[in-house]
Amino acid sequence: MQRTLWILLGWSPEYGAATTVVAVLGIDHGADGRIDRHIEWVPREYQRCLTWRKRIASTPVSELPAHIELWENSVTAPAARVEPVPSAPDLAAAVQCQLDDLLGFAG
């Protein structure tokens, strides 16, 4: 299985760039071709994550890996690939662990 994690960024008017973390998205590519996804949204960033919510809602899970690589280079709402935590038991835990790290939670 191949796992990728993405930090999703939203536009920050204060900085004039997409610097606000709005979510963490995880994608698992199974050996059988099956694709699973899990996303955790950052609390209180609803307005800045609207572009990502629309993108994800309108993209079938099977097409998500191809789309995320295109969105990676977006100027207003890019994605940044990060290495998954190797000790995470599943996709949801890997995504949650990354979000906790970004938010500064100790566990």
Side-chain angles (χ1 to χ4, degrees):
M1 176 184 345
Q2 178 187 4
R3 175 169 292 161
T4 55
L5 290 185
W6 300 88
I7 296 173
L8 309 183
L9 300 169
W11 188 259
S12 171
E14 296 90 350
Y15 297 109
T19 58
T20 303
V21 175
V22 297
V24 175
L25 170 67
I27 301 172
D28 274 351
H29 303 257
D32 60 357
R34 194 173 113 181
I35 296 173
D36 292 318
R37 73 165 169 90
H38 185 81
I39 190 163
E40 291 284 337
W41 299 99
V42 173
R44 300 183 181 167
E45 291 297 345
Y46 187 78
Q47 286 300 322
R48 294 182 189 190
C49 72
L50 288 177
T51 297
W52 279 111
R53 288 184 183 273
K54 289 176 186 174
R55 284 175 177 172
I56 297 206
S58 65
T59 304
V61 174
S62 62
E63 296 175 17
L64 197 54
H67 283 249
I68 194 75
E69 290 186 8
L70 294 173
W71 298 330
E72 180 179 19
N73 299 310
S74 168
V75 173
T76 57
R81 183 182 284 203
V82 293
E83 290 298 317
V85 175
S87 62
D90 58 26
L91 182 60
V95 169
Q96 187 63 53
C97 188
Q98 182 64 51
L99 183 63
D100 288 351
D101 186 53
L102 288 167
L103 296 177
F105 294 140

